[in-house]
Amino acid sequence: ETGVTQSPTHLIKTRGQQVTLRCSSQSGHNTVSWYQQALGQGPQFIFQYYREEENGRGNFPPRFSGLQFPNYSSELNVNALELDDSALYLCASRRDSNLNTEAFFGQGTRLTVV
Amino acid sequence: AQSVTQLDSQVPVFEEAPVELRCNYSSSVSVYLFWYVQYPNQGLQLLLKYLSGSTLVKGINGFEAEFNKSQTSFHLRKPSVHISDTAEYFCAVRLPPGGGGSNYKLTFGKGTLLTVNP
């Protein structure tokens, strides 16, 4: 059983650019959540996808968007990057969004906006 | 809404000493409670969780935590730490499943950096 994998591991972008981060869910998991972890902070919930639809969102602007594909892998897209978007972005997958199941986290993508 | 407060941002201890990392939460309804560990340049790994039942929960790597409803606390303990326990520890809460709403997201504290010195 493979774990949650994220790509790329590190990324440097310029302010105003757009970025796409990718997440491959653990086998058998149909729910993916994305979190932003700024330096020295705990992770903050961005949104969750369940069976290809967004079914929950945190306090993030619309320029943060996502997709989930039929194989349950997922993308996080951020438009018009700002310096404050620099953070570790974590993806977590679970088996079902409504059941008491554990979320497994990937190693994250470190995004630096300059 | 739920919130989590980790009372210590940094906890330095010597190897083989006991340690307690403190966590308090705020919620108007019952919640699930979690402790995660994050090693440098890594994602989050679940240490233990409290869902219901016994208030003393045992996790991996010799850690345990006790849920105290009256004090809204979920402190993490280990009787004897190792150098390899040096990491960032996060306490988190989540609503139980059922009834829709925001039961899916984890709300984290700001973390406690545990440094184990020889």
Side-chain angles (χ1 to χ4, degrees):
Chain A
E1 185 176 82
T2 59
V4 179
T5 57
Q6 294 185 242
S7 63
T9 54
H10 296 82
L11 198 55
I12 299 175
K13 288 286 191 178
T14 302
R15 189 172 49 183
Q17 285 188 314
Q18 179 266 343
V19 69
T20 297
L21 310 182
R22 294 178 175 84
C23 172
S24 178
S25 302
Q26 186 158 321
S27 177
H29 288 188
N30 56 15
T31 303
V32 174
S33 302
W34 285 90
Y35 291 80
Q36 180 196 66
Q37 185 180 9
L39 197 62
Q41 301 293 315
Q44 298 283 322
F45 176 74
I46 302 175
F47 45 57
Q48 174 174 287
Y49 278 82
Y50 172 61
R51 294 184 175 177
E52 302 179 57
E53 291 191 4
E54 183 182 301
N55 74 338
R57 190 175 184 91
N59 188 27
F60 280 80
R63 60 189 185 84
F64 285 77
S65 63
L67 282 173
Q68 188 180 30
F69 300 99
N71 66 355
Y72 302 130
S73 65
S74 176
E75 286 182 355
L76 164 65
N77 299 289
V78 187
N79 294 321
L81 282 167
E82 301 176 358
L83 296 179
D84 285 348
D85 296 333
S86 295
L88 180 68
Y89 288 86
L90 295 165
C91 166
S93 74
R94 294 170 57 197
R95 193 173 301 279
D96 188 292
S97 75
N98 289 323
L99 297 179
N100 178 21
T101 56
E102 177 185 343
F104 290 85
F105 284 83
Q107 290 190 324
T109 294
R110 174 76 61 187
L111 173 65
T112 302
V113 182
V114 297
Chain B
Q2 296 76 45
S3 66
V4 176
T5 301
Q6 291 185 242
L7 298 162
D8 305 295
S9 59
Q10 297 186 53
V11 174
V13 295
F14 288 108
E15 194 173 18
E16 298 183 6
V19 71
E20 177 180 82
L21 306 184
R22 297 180 293 169
C23 171
N24 285 88
Y25 68 93
S26 174
S27 177
S28 58
V29 298
S30 296
V31 294
Y32 289 169
L33 294 150
F34 304 81
W35 274 99
Y36 284 86
V37 60
Q38 186 175 38
Y39 298 103
N41 301 313
Q42 298 289 316
L44 299 174
Q45 181 183 7
L46 181 67
L47 276 177
L48 48 79
K49 59 186 177 185
Y50 173 78
L51 308 180
S52 64
S54 173
T55 58
L56 183 62
V57 179
K58 293 189 183 298
I60 62 171
N61 301 341
F63 284 94
E64 63 180 32
E66 186 156 19
F67 169 60
N68 187 318
K69 187 174 182 179
S70 63
Q71 296 186 3
T72 60
S73 68
F74 190 55
H75 300 333
L76 180 70
R77 302 186 183 99
K78 186 170 182 178
S80 176
V81 294
H82 303 288
I83 298 285
S84 59
D85 292 323
T86 295
E88 188 94 30
Y89 291 79
F90 292 95
C91 181
V93 301
R94 203 198 88 187
L95 291 175
S102 59
N103 61 5
Y104 35 74
K105 72 172 186 177
L106 288 161
T107 299
F108 288 88
K110 291 188 176 182
T112 297
L113 177 61
L114 174 64
T115 304
V116 182
N117 298 301

